[in-house]
Amino acid sequence: MALIVHKYGGTSMGSTERIRNVAKRVAKWVRAGHQLVVVPSAMSGETNRLLGLAKELSPDPSARELDMIAATGEQVSSGLLAIALQAEGLESVSYAGWQVPIKTNSAFAKARIESIDDARVRADLAAGKVVVITGFQGVDPNGHITTLGRGGSDTSAVAVAAAMKADECLIYTDVDGVYTTDPRVVPEARRLNAISFEEMLEMASLGSKVLQIRSVEFAGKYRVPLRVLSSFTPWDIDLDVEAKSGTLISFEEDEKMEQAVVSGIAFTRDEAKITVVGVPDTPGIAYQIVGKVAEANIDVDVIIQNVSHDGKTDFSFTVPRGDHARAMELLKTQVVPALGAREVVGDAKIAKVSIVGIGMRSHVGIASTMFKTLSDEGINIQMITTSEIKTSVVIDEKYLELAVRALHKAFGLDEVKA
Amino acid sequence: MALIVHKYGGTSMGSTERIRNVAKRVAKWVRAGHQLVVVPSAMSGETNRLLGLAKELSPDPSARELDMIAATGEQVSSGLLAIALQAEGLESVSYAGWQVPIKTNSAFAKARIESIDDARVRADLAAGKVVVITGFQGVDPNGHITTLGRGGSDTSAVAVAAAMKADECLIYTDVDGVYTTDPRVVPEARRLNAISFEEMLEMASLGSKVLQIRSVEFAGKYRVPLRVLSSFTPWDIDLDVEAKSGTLISFEEDEKMEQAVVSGIAFTRDEAKITVVGVPDTPGIAYQIVGKVAEANIDVDVIIQNVSHDGKTDFSFTVPRGDHARAMELLKTQVVPALGAREVVGDAKIAKVSIVGIGMRSHVGIASTMFKTLSDEGINIQMITTSEIKTSVVIDEKYLELAVRALHKAFGLDEVKA
């Protein structure tokens, strides 16, 4: 008998018919002898409907009240799931975040979980019940309802699994796992049977479509085995097959089933490049540039500073594309004059491509294979940044698909046809 | 400065446009110097939508989970109203029943309020906030969400007003007060400026369209001045005019503005008559008949036992029309044989008409005026039952409108045309 946490996304809970399917699937696990805690999202569309009503009343509604309103979506889907489980002949009870309680800080709309008291849930499990817990929400020290931000139900599920030392946390979603890259760009993209949580973090730009990245951090921190799998397989497929389907996000390197050097190719078009040209190369310039941008609440991602010539250097970095114009204006009016730099140039038409793999730690020459592959395709690399298990390059946006396909092939990720 | 509780029904909260109007109306009261607690219902249609989803999943869903689901309707409307109030420039906070807390027993779907801790609400009012509290719901001793039954928001509002010793509880609804009788039956029906809470209780069959009867009991018990008034007047009408509009349900007889002997004519078509004929007149027969029916969870209303002839009597009573067939079957198969009665006869085509008035206490001959009026119209009275401030008769359903109109006129309730 294992303690298993299931999480079902909004699409999986999107209608009473689908909720009934979720209940049948959960019942299959219970009948196989497992203890089940289930964390559902709101029915798809519901959170947007609720926030839309609030927006009609105020252009800038209070975050505290928005959380009060949005949290009801999961309360409804949790109650409905408990009823569907009862209709399957199981005993079941649903709890809102405050009833568990899942305690968070008071950062409305982006609260962080601080602790989970699992006594009540454990007692219910011991009494043979399936416990349904609302995703996405908790309660702050003053008894206010909080929400964890979009996709927060993944984090709720992982946090519950961590608190209860669950054997595995299964994230049922509308895709069937994590892929070597986006199959819309590379038709040969292959589903990974397993990926380390560190790789998963680096694959954020792919992974964020599948898993809220904070849930992966949580899983890593508390060593919760996490599996992403499809909720659209027939509910009555063999449990042993289902239990091994999808992608396992593992914290044990030796649990990895695949030992590819590079596990996947991540990419994003969401960034823009800015270069401050002719900056006097004195101590503190990085802070004076990046600090100013950060103060304006603009995230800075890739940062490159080349060696200087004649006491001058060029300082480049990327920002979210939506903040590009604002960052450029800020630099032109405040930073360039203050630093005595020559000028600031921007480019929104860039893309970032990353190769990710734990194997890179112990293999040399991976980066050079990447650079050669891009070079062979005539793609100029504008910026490079590396971490222990990732190498990212910034290139002209128009070469993005070409670069991803070439790298996918070069690192042997293309699906092996039978 | 007075402490005022406003309650708004589902129709008044039916759209963001209407919620905005509620906020403007509340703001008018706050700007006049009053402290306001507002108790909204769910947006109209929402509770039915939610319960409909549950019904799709199970023919017999758990009451505990239904309450979990249904309670979200008021949580959403309360959060939306707080946002609308903030958009009007007021400080406002919304609380779900468990956050106040409004403590109830554990009778899911029909919970009774046991206590309200008003410390949190008082602190907010003292800080200048408008406090919005979800109607219809509370929390039981085990931390489960409970609901108070249909129309429970009226009871929530009155209970909050009682706990906080509010100066008045205003029930804003889609009618403009309590009428002498149903204006659809008697066009001359007149809105009452005031009615005693005892009369209001007896007027249940009229009042239930306006006010949940339990809220009136509560108001009477805790002496909360209650006013039913329209939420469809323009929000910016003069506050003094609004404050005196509608119908005041008063616990002080001397506050009554009208001293009519009969205040109103109530009626219902929801009952059916059953007569057990030829019952041996021995002690305990009432219990043997009514007890059996009550055991089957059927409410018994009017009960009549005539004097006996030759040791036999006829025993008549009314039951809800929907339970008529079941009650008849039960009596035929179990009661008639056991008692040695002759037979049981039923009639679903009946109506009950009642005259209600505190003045009946001190005036004789009211009942005989009623009987004479019906006799003059050729209406046969099948059953009679009386209480201190009410006389009810059961008649053939087809005479209902005729009886109500005739009585309305006979007791001087027809509107005086200017």
Side-chain angles (χ1 to χ4, degrees):
Chain A
M1 185 184 73
L3 172 57
I4 309 279
V5 175
H6 281 193
K7 183 262 170 180
Y8 291 91
T11 315
S12 314
M13 297 290 293
S15 66
T16 49
E17 190 49 42
R18 288 186 180 171
I19 291 173
R20 196 175 288 122
N21 271 321
V22 167
K24 287 180 191 296
R25 191 182 297 275
V26 170
K28 176 178 71 178
W29 283 76
V30 172
R31 293 197 178 107
H34 300 299
Q35 290 188 324
L36 264 288
V37 176
V38 187
V39 178
S41 296
M43 296 173 78
S44 55
E46 185 60 7
T47 308
N48 284 338
R49 183 184 75 85
L50 292 168
L51 298 180
L53 289 172
K55 276 279 177 195
E56 286 176 28
L57 289 167
S58 168
D60 181 28
S62 127
R64 192 265 180 205
E65 298 302 328
L66 285 181
D67 281 4
M68 185 84 176
I69 293 166
T72 63
E74 281 72 18
Q75 188 169 323
V76 169
S77 63
S78 295
L80 291 175
L81 181 55
I83 286 170
L85 288 164
Q86 290 163 358
E88 290 298 317
L90 301 176
E91 279 202 82
S92 179
V93 63
S94 73
Y95 293 122
W98 64 269
Q99 289 178 303
V100 174
I102 295 177
K103 293 181 183 165
T104 73
N105 64 13
S106 299
F108 296 114
K110 49 174 196 274
R112 299 216 156 228
I113 294 175
E114 294 188 335
S115 70
I116 295 180
D117 181 350
D118 68 346
R120 179 170 207 164
V121 179
R122 264 193 205 289
D124 286 325
L125 290 174
K129 291 180 188 168
V130 178
V131 181
V132 183
I133 299 177
T134 54
F136 181 58
Q137 66 189 265
V139 61
D140 86 351
N142 300 312
H144 299 298
I145 293 174
T146 55
T147 69
L148 310 181
R150 280 294 164 119
S153 294
D154 290 343
T155 306
S156 301
V158 174
V160 166
M164 304 201 65
K165 299 186 176 36
D167 294 283
E168 198 166 288
C169 180
L170 307 187
I171 309 282
Y172 288 87
T173 179
D174 50 1
V175 298
D176 68 349
V178 179
Y179 276 69
T180 49
T181 195
D182 187 337
R184 285 169 303 185
V185 170
V186 184
E188 294 80 10
R190 206 161 33 86
R191 184 177 53 75
L192 293 161
N193 286 323
I195 185 171
S196 74
F197 83 88
E198 293 155 297
E199 288 170 316
M200 189 69 213
L201 282 177
E202 295 287 7
M203 296 275 277
S205 65
L206 294 177
S208 65
K209 287 160 200 152
V210 182
L211 268 183
Q212 197 204 25
I213 209 63
R214 193 141 53 95
S215 71
V216 181
E217 294 169 9
F218 224 99
K221 187 169 170 191
Y222 293 100
R223 317 210 117 220
V224 177
L226 202 60
R227 184 178 292 276
V228 175
L229 67 173
S230 172
S231 66
F232 290 114
T233 55
W235 68 265
D236 56 355
I237 64 166
D238 186 75
L239 189 141
D240 293 330
V241 172
E242 182 172 314
K244 294 206 178 87
S245 68
T247 300
L248 177 69
I249 296 134
S250 162
F251 52 88
E252 301 275 6
E253 269 186 60
D254 54 11
E255 271 190 19
K256 260 181 112 278
M257 294 173 214
E258 291 159 290
Q259 289 298 337
V261 176
V262 170
S263 292
I265 317 288
F267 59 87
T268 172
R269 280 177 243 254
D270 296 339
E271 297 185 28
K273 188 179 70 166
I274 295 175
T275 302
V276 186
V277 182
V279 184
D281 190 8
T282 54
I285 59 152
Y287 172 71
Q288 286 175 70
I289 296 172
V290 172
K292 208 75 186 172
V293 174
E295 270 170 33
N297 265 318
I298 298 171
D299 283 334
V300 173
D301 182 21
V302 183
I303 302 174
I304 302 285
Q305 184 184 347
N306 282 338
V307 293
S308 61
H309 295 283
D310 309 323
K312 298 265 184 179
T313 188
D314 297 339
F315 189 93
S316 297
F317 56 94
T318 63
V319 295
R321 202 172 280 188
D323 292 324
H324 188 228
R326 196 157 61 93
M328 288 291 288
E329 184 61 22
L330 182 79
L331 291 161
K332 272 181 194 154
T333 57
Q334 297 183 37
V335 176
V336 167
L339 283 179
R342 194 160 71 233
E343 61 172 338
V344 53
V345 293
D347 184 0
K349 301 249 177 222
I350 58 148
K352 188 177 73 172
V353 180
S354 310
I355 55 172
V356 177
I358 284 229
M360 291 166 70
R361 281 179 183 158
S362 48
H363 288 70
V364 293
I366 302 298
S368 39
T369 302
M370 182 185 200
F371 304 152
K372 179 174 188 306
T373 304
L374 296 175
S375 168
D376 287 350
E377 299 290 345
I379 300 169
N380 185 43
I381 299 173
Q382 300 179 14
M383 300 168 83
I384 300 171
T385 180
T386 62
S387 77
E388 204 185 1
I389 64 165
K390 182 182 78 168
T391 300
S392 301
V393 297
V394 170
I395 59 174
D396 188 322
E397 186 185 8
K398 70 182 177 191
Y399 294 123
L400 174 64
E401 288 82 358
L402 176 61
V404 173
R405 281 188 212 111
L407 291 169
H408 200 266
K409 188 153 201 265
F411 287 104
L413 296 173
D414 283 6
E415 193 157 19
V416 181
K417 304 288 180 191
Chain B
M1 185 182 76
L3 171 57
I4 309 279
V5 175
H6 281 193
K7 183 263 171 179
Y8 291 92
T11 316
S12 314
M13 297 291 293
S15 66
T16 50
E17 190 50 42
R18 288 187 180 171
I19 291 173
R20 197 176 286 122
N21 270 320
V22 167
K24 286 180 192 295
R25 191 182 296 275
V26 170
K28 176 178 71 179
W29 283 76
V30 172
R31 293 197 179 107
H34 300 299
Q35 290 187 324
L36 265 287
V37 176
V38 187
V39 178
S41 296
M43 295 173 79
S44 54
E46 185 61 7
T47 308
N48 284 337
R49 183 184 75 85
L50 293 167
L51 298 180
L53 290 171
K55 277 279 178 193
E56 287 175 28
L57 289 167
S58 168
D60 181 28
S62 126
R64 192 265 181 205
E65 299 301 329
L66 284 181
D67 280 4
M68 185 83 175
I69 293 166
T72 63
E74 280 72 18
Q75 189 169 322
V76 169
S77 62
S78 295
L80 291 175
L81 180 55
I83 287 170
L85 288 164
Q86 291 163 357
E88 289 297 316
L90 301 176
E91 280 202 81
S92 180
V93 63
S94 74
Y95 294 122
W98 63 270
Q99 290 178 303
V100 173
I102 294 177
K103 293 181 183 164
T104 73
N105 64 12
S106 298
F108 296 113
K110 49 176 194 271
R112 298 218 156 229
I113 294 175
E114 294 188 334
S115 69
I116 295 180
D117 181 350
D118 68 346
R120 180 170 206 166
V121 179
R122 264 192 205 289
D124 287 324
L125 290 174
K129 291 180 189 168
V130 178
V131 181
V132 183
I133 299 177
T134 54
F136 182 57
Q137 66 188 266
V139 61
D140 85 351
N142 301 312
H144 299 299
I145 293 175
T146 55
T147 69
L148 310 181
R150 281 293 165 121
S153 294
D154 289 343
T155 305
S156 301
V158 173
V160 166
M164 304 199 66
K165 298 185 177 38
D167 294 282
E168 198 166 291
C169 180
L170 306 188
I171 310 282
Y172 287 88
T173 178
D174 50 1
V175 298
D176 68 349
V178 179
Y179 275 70
T180 49
T181 195
D182 188 337
R184 286 169 301 186
V185 171
V186 183
E188 293 80 9
R190 205 161 34 86
R191 182 176 56 74
L192 294 162
N193 287 322
I195 185 170
S196 73
F197 84 87
E198 292 156 296
E199 287 170 319
M200 189 69 213
L201 282 177
E202 296 287 7
M203 295 275 277
S205 64
L206 294 177
S208 64
K209 288 160 198 153
V210 182
L211 268 184
Q212 197 204 25
I213 209 62
R214 195 141 51 97
S215 71
V216 181
E217 294 169 9
F218 225 99
K221 187 168 171 194
Y222 293 100
R223 319 211 116 219
V224 178
L226 202 60
R227 184 179 292 276
V228 175
L229 67 173
S230 172
S231 67
F232 290 114
T233 54
W235 68 266
D236 56 355
I237 64 166
D238 185 75
L239 189 141
D240 293 328
V241 172
E242 182 172 314
K244 294 206 178 86
S245 68
T247 300
L248 177 68
I249 295 133
S250 162
F251 51 89
E252 301 277 5
E253 269 186 60
D254 53 10
E255 270 189 19
K256 260 181 111 275
M257 294 173 214
E258 290 160 288
Q259 289 298 336
V261 176
V262 170
S263 291
I265 316 288
F267 60 86
T268 173
R269 279 177 243 253
D270 296 340
E271 297 185 27
K273 188 179 71 169
I274 294 175
T275 302
V276 187
V277 182
V279 184
D281 189 9
T282 52
I285 60 153
Y287 173 72
Q288 286 176 71
I289 296 172
V290 173
K292 208 75 186 172
V293 174
E295 269 171 34
N297 264 319
I298 298 171
D299 283 334
V300 173
D301 182 21
V302 182
I303 301 175
I304 303 283
Q305 185 184 345
N306 282 339
V307 292
S308 61
H309 295 284
D310 308 324
K312 298 262 181 182
T313 188
D314 298 338
F315 190 93
S316 297
F317 56 95
T318 63
V319 296
R321 201 172 281 187
D323 292 324
H324 188 229
R326 197 155 61 92
M328 287 292 288
E329 183 63 21
L330 183 79
L331 290 162
K332 272 181 193 153
T333 57
Q334 297 184 37
V335 176
V336 167
L339 283 179
R342 193 160 72 234
E343 62 172 335
V344 54
V345 293
D347 183 0
K349 300 251 177 220
I350 58 147
K352 188 176 72 172
V353 180
S354 310
I355 56 172
V356 176
I358 283 228
M360 291 167 71
R361 280 179 184 158
S362 46
H363 287 72
V364 293
I366 302 298
S368 38
T369 301
M370 183 185 198
F371 304 152
K372 177 173 191 304
T373 304
L374 296 174
S375 167
D376 287 350
E377 299 290 345
I379 301 169
N380 185 43
I381 298 172
Q382 302 180 12
M383 300 169 84
I384 300 171
T385 179
T386 63
S387 77
E388 203 184 0
I389 64 165
K390 183 182 78 168
T391 300
S392 300
V393 297
V394 170
I395 58 173
D396 188 322
E397 187 186 8
K398 70 182 175 189
Y399 295 125
L400 174 64
E401 288 83 358
L402 176 61
V404 172
R405 280 188 213 111
L407 292 168
H408 200 266
K409 188 153 199 267
F411 288 105
L413 297 172
D414 283 8
E415 194 156 19
V416 182
K417 305 289 181 191

